[in-house]
Amino acid sequence: MPPTVVVVGASLGGLRAAEQLRAQGFGGRLLVVGAEPWMPYNRPPLSKEALGRGAGDGTAADLAAALAFRPRAAAHDVGWVLGRTAVGADLAARTVTLDDGTVLGYDALVVATGLRPRRLPVERPAGGRFTLRTADDAAALRREVRPGARAVVVGGGFVGCETAGTLAALGCRVTVVEPLPVPMLRGVGPELGTALLTHHREAGLRLETGIGVSDLVGRDDRVTGVRLDDGSVLPADLVVESVGSYPNVEWLAGNGLDLSDGLLCDNDLRVEGRRDVVAVGDVARFPNPRFDEVPRRVEHWCVPGDTARRAAATVVAHLAGAATSPEPFAPLPAFWSDQLGLRLQSFGAPRLADGADVVEGDLTDLRAGVAVVHRRAGRVVGTVLVNVPAARHAGYRSLVADAAHPVGHRV
Amino acid sequence: MKVVVDMTLCQDHGQCAIAAPEVFRMDEDSKLVFDAEPDGSLSDAVQDAIDVCPVQAIFLER
């Protein structure tokens, strides 16, 4: 019997894991299980052009089809088990149980179940409330967007700010509520966060910062307003909840794993030392020796691709009874964000920084181009570029890559 | 190997130029220029560029 690899999760991480397993020579049976009924599709456009795309009905099926990835030819013989959710796993018996009762046996398991949005801890009103993670979410929000609608986006992170900018461009009257003093604080640092707050306000967005949401008010189970911590109420026709996310790991309960923050992995993406279970994407909490030895989850678009390559190598080595590569896995994180006429591009891990310097441009004129370099204990750990021409991104990336050497790196 | 970029999708992110600088480059105006028929020895780099394109605008024609 040829060996079987089961990949749970059919978004970017699951797709890249399957492709990498084939690319690295795995010739056995390969099954990819996905909770959504669609083939893997690209999620970042869901907070941007997918909300406003004029033509088509904009159903979830339309959006998922329009944003679908083109799997590599080498992955043509992957078995896609779509519209099925993994509800349990027995890592000792090497089985995964699906919501229709199917039990899949495996020789190696790849966990790529990703995240789901956190919701405000308020059950009612239920109507008029949205999140943005899936094609279904985007299709539902799109149906409610109309010029003049009063929209409140709760959470001023990257997705919240992108969504707010898109809704404003579609004619909504948008307010962002963020409990921290500036938007995207952890991702860009206080200096740039303050500049982005000013920019976004000047661009016509209303941002209420340094204040939280205490409750939602409504009528007939439909939201009509958002009550803030000071008792004031923002009238709202629709509310977008962009308040973080939870890793989808509950289905792995009962196996003695630490599920407190995704799956705890080693530098080869093995889950707690198990040779036959790896994690991929933003569910994986792994150490990156480029920065230090602390395992962290990273919710960037590049992470599924980077972790899939290494995790596939780990699986292929295990099935062959071989050792994994001695080369440390030290990916250089990167993310981008388009919002209100600005393009942000980051390399490295600005959130680890204890200080930052503006090395190009002026924080009072972000549109003209600004580069901020973030450091920790004097060493460069990341950069955020705003409207810096792409031709110069590689140079800034090298600045981070060369400075943030892996622990034990020899020059 | 023939590389095609759908320029109606391309948003000049420049990630391809980082993944495969032998094939893709951002010019002085930060617009994409690329070698449409790169040497076959660059196929891994081109595949990496295809993977990292945020808008999935790069195609391979064989």
Side-chain angles (χ1 to χ4, degrees), chain A residues 23 26 29 39 63 74 84 110 114 116 122 124 127-128 144 203 394 407:
Chain A
F26 173 67
R29 194 161 77 113
M39 286 290 284
L63 292 177
R84 287 281 166 258
V110 180
R116 65 180 180 281
V122 179
R124 306 231 168 249
E144 300 281 330
V407 171

Side-chain angles (χ1 to χ4, degrees), chain B residues 3-30:
Chain B
V3 175
V4 178
V5 179
D6 183 340
M7 297 307 289
T8 67
L9 292 176
C10 177
Q11 295 178 1
D12 300 311
H13 281 277
Q15 295 298 306
C16 54
I18 291 168
E22 311 89 341
V23 181
F24 302 92
R25 185 169 64 81
M26 307 307 288
D27 70 12
E28 288 106 58
D29 299 323
S30 285

Side-chain angles (χ1 to χ4, degrees), chain A residues 78-390:
Chain A
V78 170
W80 296 92
V81 184
L82 300 177
R84 287 281 166 258
T85 306
V87 294
D90 183 335
L91 301 187
R94 297 204 185 95
T95 59
V96 172
T97 303
L98 307 186
D99 55 355
D100 63 351
T102 305
V103 178
L104 302 173
Y106 64 78
D107 296 280
L109 174 65
V110 180
V111 180
T113 36
L115 313 176
R116 65 180 180 281
R118 198 170 83 82
R119 304 300 302 253
L120 291 169
V122 179
E123 269 190 43
R124 306 231 168 249
R129 297 169 61 180
F130 302 89
T131 58
L132 265 184
R133 180 78 186 173
T134 66
D136 274 314
D137 295 339
L141 176 55
R142 205 181 127 120
R143 281 195 291 274
E144 300 281 330
V145 171
R146 51 186 58 85
R150 294 165 303 181
V152 175
V153 177
V154 182
F158 290 101
V159 175
C161 286
E162 287 179 359
T163 306
T166 304
L167 294 176
L170 293 170
C172 296
R173 289 176 283 165
V174 186
T175 304
V176 177
V177 181
E178 166 58 51
L180 294 173
V182 300
M184 298 166 280
L185 176 63
R186 281 186 286 265
V188 303
E191 303 87 353
L192 184 51
T194 303
L196 286 163
L197 175 63
T198 303
H199 172 274
H200 286 6
R201 281 179 173 157
E202 287 172 1
L205 207 61
R206 181 173 169 196
L207 288 109
E208 299 287 342
T209 60
I211 191 161
V213 168
S214 65
D215 202 4
L216 297 175
V217 295
R219 193 181 319 119
D220 301 330
D221 205 26
R222 162 104 202 178
V223 73
T224 58
V226 174
R227 181 173 287 121
L228 305 183
D229 286 340
D230 63 2
S232 63
V233 174
L234 296 171
D237 301 307
L238 58 95
V239 173
V240 180
E241 297 171 40
S242 187
V243 290
S245 40
Y246 294 118
N248 292 318
V249 292
E250 292 82 357
W251 62 282
L252 286 161
N255 289 286
L257 297 175
D258 170 6
L259 302 178
S260 59
D261 182 22
L263 291 174
L264 182 58
C265 300
D266 65 17
N267 193 235
D268 285 316
L269 283 323
R270 279 183 294 240
V271 176
E272 296 190 32
R274 283 169 170 75
R275 296 180 55 80
D276 54 353
V277 184
V278 294
V280 162
D282 37 25
V283 78
R285 178 159 49 109
F286 64 97
N288 186 339
R290 182 179 291 281
F291 303 110
D292 52 35
E293 280 150 18
V294 180
R296 294 185 185 87
R297 292 192 310 101
V298 185
E299 299 180 9
H300 297 341
W301 187 86
C302 65
V303 169
D306 290 339
T307 52
R309 187 180 297 251
R310 181 62 168 225
T314 300
V315 167
V316 168
H318 164 62
L319 294 175
T324 53
S325 165
E327 189 71 21
F329 173 58
L332 184 67
F335 72 82
W336 82 95
S337 177
D338 290 326
Q339 42 183 284
L340 294 126
L342 301 180
R343 168 160 297 167
L344 280 63
Q345 173 68 53
S346 170
F347 299 104
R351 67 185 55 218
L352 301 181
D354 55 27
D357 301 295
V358 177
V359 298
E360 177 181 333
D362 182 338
L363 286 177
T364 63
D365 188 2
L366 295 178
R367 279 178 190 270
V370 169
V372 180
V373 172
H374 299 256
R375 57 189 144 67
R376 178 172 68 173
R379 197 176 83 161
V380 173
V381 289
T383 184
V384 182
L385 313 174
V386 184
N387 280 15
V388 170

